[in-house]
Amino acid sequence: MKESRFLEFKKEITNSFLKTVSAFANFGDGTILFGVDDRGNPIGFSEADSLRLDIENRINDSIKPKPEYSISVNPKNNVITLSVSEGKYKPYFYKGKAYRRSDTATIEVDQAELRRLTLEGENLYFEELPCGKKNLSFDYFEAKIIEKLGIKALNDDILRTFGFINDDKKFNNAGELFSDKNSFGGIDIARFGSSISEIFDRETISGVSILKQYDDALAAFRRYYQYEKIQGAERETISRIPEEAFREAVANALVHRTWDVNSHIRVAMFSDRIEIYSPGGLPKGTTEEEYLNGSISNLRNPIIGNVFFRLHYIEMFGTGIRRIKELYAEAFKKPDFSITDNSISVILPCFDRITGISEDGRKILAILEEGRILSAKELSEKLEWSKDKTIRILNVLLKEGYVRKDGGGRSTKYSKR
């Protein structure tokens, strides 16, 4: 048993545990075990029952509002278990500060996170807040709904139906994001050469409707990753990266990003891949596994998501990542997804990148394709090569990003990315 984001050990009882209570109440259920050392070994307390009451009193006196929790004593080892539930009335403060977990540490939230907690406690989304602007134009949005939905003309009733106008008849942040001019972040697109120090083109799309941001990003993709091939009397458009995968990745970035952070979505274009970085981690209540499997969708921006769905920019909530994977089902190199507390990145490799791999490299990848995790020695035995040759080819595949290396020394293993 080890400490984690949702589990903390306390050898002794000091007020520092109250920060973790605040973190669990704000950002997800968690457990604190009192009378356990850093290695997870139970030590217990001789007066566990009285200390249990002391813990309860400290929580009730120090955490505002009062969180939901349960506390018990294990009679076998006198370890005290405190289970804290994520609360409905956020934020939960300890000494006027709100906290969150970062891996196994408990840290104070920043101002942006505190605002989000406050909105969540009031059952509001950032996109629903009044934008403070009275006169917004929607020419680009109007053209899109006429084209895609057959609506004859835009009016206030339609804007209200899409959720751009609140009950007090004021435009909200979602309305400003879809308007012709807005003050939020946009999409920063850069096309690189052989390294990030070699920039061929750069374009920042901001201050315009997020529908135009989406369309302009797609236009850049088509310029650099599509070409026409003549087959007899026919012209065929060839995509080095599946256009639908790029569409899904950009739409997901716009729908799920945090809009209260003044930061751009970044699209980095390379000869062998596209990297898309979206500000903000996973929507609250969604695990990494659920996100990657597309088994659940918890929208951070439901108004924006609904508009993209109705305009057919996204097919169904929560299926974007799964569809990207399906588009690469037959590809030699698969897309890569990375999730942190503050960003989500998607890397889309080019379909034709495999042409740069030697025949021997293909043989190694074919073995690792089956989900195996093998050492260089095990691979060399299967292929009946020398270990030196196997390591030499593996190093090339590592450099090109086709395989992953784990461990070190004799315990080094290789797997396919």
Side-chain angles (χ1 to χ4, degrees):
M1 186 169 54
K2 297 189 300 183
E3 284 189 307
S4 69
R5 186 174 180 177
F6 308 104
L7 178 64
E8 182 168 86
F9 301 148
K10 291 292 184 183
K11 185 176 179 180
E12 300 174 346
I13 300 173
T14 65
N15 280 346
S16 64
F17 85 89
L18 294 166
K19 296 178 181 180
T20 306
V21 174
S22 164
F24 289 151
N26 284 323
F27 289 97
D29 304 347
T31 301
I32 304 174
L33 298 181
F34 297 93
V36 175
D37 65 19
D38 292 340
R39 296 183 178 180
N41 300 313
I43 298 172
F45 299 102
S46 59
E47 299 178 353
D49 288 327
S50 62
L51 290 174
R52 166 185 169 175
L53 180 61
D54 178 48
I55 292 170
E56 290 187 53
N57 289 334
R58 294 194 199 199
I59 295 173
N60 296 339
D61 292 343
S62 304
I63 306 294
K64 304 298 178 185
K66 182 182 174 181
E68 298 178 25
Y69 67 91
S70 62
I71 188 167
S72 61
V73 176
N74 186 331
K76 294 182 179 180
N77 55 21
N78 285 329
V79 168
I80 302 171
T81 299
L82 172 64
S83 299
V84 182
S85 301
E86 183 175 358
K88 299 178 181 178
Y89 307 106
K90 303 169 184 176
Y92 291 84
F93 293 100
Y94 169 58
K95 290 188 175 180
K97 297 178 180 179
Y99 292 86
R100 68 174 177 88
R101 294 285 281 176
S102 177
D103 197 11
T104 60
T106 300
I107 61 176
E108 184 181 352
V109 303
D110 59 26
Q111 288 300 311
E113 289 173 313
L114 184 58
R115 286 196 301 270
R116 292 174 202 143
L117 284 172
T118 303
L119 288 174
E120 192 175 345
E122 296 174 356
N123 198 28
L124 290 172
Y125 296 93
F126 176 78
E127 61 177 2
E128 295 178 300
L129 297 181
C131 69
K133 296 183 179 181
K134 296 181 180 179
N135 299 313
L136 296 176
S137 65
F138 294 89
D139 294 341
Y140 201 87
F141 178 75
E142 182 178 28
K144 286 296 177 182
I145 63 172
I146 290 173
E147 172 195 347
K148 292 181 173 291
L149 303 180
I151 294 173
K152 293 182 178 180
L154 186 64
N155 56 45
D156 285 352
D157 288 337
I158 294 175
L159 290 173
R160 191 173 289 106
T161 299
F162 275 102
F164 299 167
I165 299 176
N166 291 339
D167 293 338
D168 56 6
K169 299 182 179 180
K170 294 180 179 178
F171 287 114
N172 55 29
N173 287 331
E176 184 181 349
L177 282 164
F178 282 98
S179 70
D180 295 321
K181 294 182 180 180
N182 69 64
S183 55
F184 296 95
I187 302 178
D188 186 24
I189 301 175
R191 187 164 71 97
F192 296 96
S194 57
S195 68
I196 57 174
S197 61
E198 187 178 17
I199 302 175
F200 290 160
D201 293 296
R202 186 154 197 171
E203 177 183 8
T204 300
I205 311 163
S206 64
V208 296
S209 169
I210 58 175
L211 294 180
K212 181 168 174 52
Q213 293 177 26
Y214 173 89
D215 288 342
D216 287 357
L218 181 58
F221 167 85
R222 289 172 174 168
R223 283 197 302 273
Y224 303 129
Y225 291 91
Q226 288 184 346
Y227 60 92
E228 288 190 342
K229 184 177 181 180
I230 300 175
Q231 298 271 20
E234 301 292 330
R235 285 180 179 268
E236 181 184 3
T237 299
I238 306 297
S239 286
R240 299 186 61 228
I241 288 173
E243 180 178 306
E244 193 174 350
F246 182 78
R247 286 173 175 267
E248 289 285 354
V250 173
N252 271 357
L254 288 165
V255 169
H256 293 298
R257 68 156 289 174
T258 52
W259 286 102
D260 56 351
V261 174
N262 188 22
S263 179
H264 295 309
I265 294 167
R266 291 191 295 116
V267 178
M269 296 180 165
F270 297 88
S271 61
D272 63 337
R273 69 193 185 281
I274 295 179
E275 301 177 358
I276 301 167
Y277 299 88
S278 176
L282 289 175
K284 193 152 182 64
T286 301
T287 66
E288 182 171 344
E289 182 180 4
E290 289 167 339
Y291 168 80
L292 294 175
N293 292 336
S295 58
I296 191 171
S297 177
N298 185 16
L299 287 178
R300 177 179 281 122
N301 307 296
I303 296 175
I304 297 171
N306 182 57
V307 175
F308 270 68
F309 174 69
R310 294 179 68 176
L311 295 180
H312 311 297
Y313 286 114
I314 55 177
E315 183 172 305
M316 188 181 298
F317 297 141
T319 62
I321 301 304
R322 190 167 71 238
R323 293 181 70 203
I324 290 173
K325 289 181 175 180
E326 289 172 355
L327 290 163
Y328 277 85
E330 302 301 321
F332 213 84
K333 189 169 184 183
K334 309 298 184 184
D336 188 58
F337 306 92
S338 179
I339 300 167
T340 70
D341 288 341
N342 299 311
S343 69
I344 295 176
S345 67
V346 180
I347 300 178
L348 304 175
C350 290
F351 271 171
D352 56 2
R353 183 59 179 165
I354 191 65
T355 57
I357 295 181
S358 68
E359 186 61 32
D360 288 341
R362 290 171 185 263
K363 291 178 180 179
I364 288 179
L365 290 176
I367 294 175
L368 297 178
E369 180 72 30
E370 300 174 7
R372 294 171 175 165
I373 303 174
L374 301 173
S375 66
K377 181 181 179 182
E378 290 168 330
L379 281 166
S380 64
E381 289 173 351
K382 285 183 176 293
L383 293 163
E384 298 182 350
W385 294 341
S386 69
K387 185 178 177 182
D388 288 343
K389 176 182 177 179
T390 304
I391 291 175
R392 185 170 65 252
I393 298 170
L394 281 169
N395 286 335
V396 173
L397 295 174
L398 278 167
K399 184 178 179 181
E400 294 294 326
Y402 287 102
V403 299
R404 180 183 288 106
K405 178 180 177 181
D406 295 302
R410 294 183 178 180
S411 63
T412 300
K413 299 279 186 176
Y414 299 87
S415 59
K416 188 176 180 298
R417 282 187 179 275

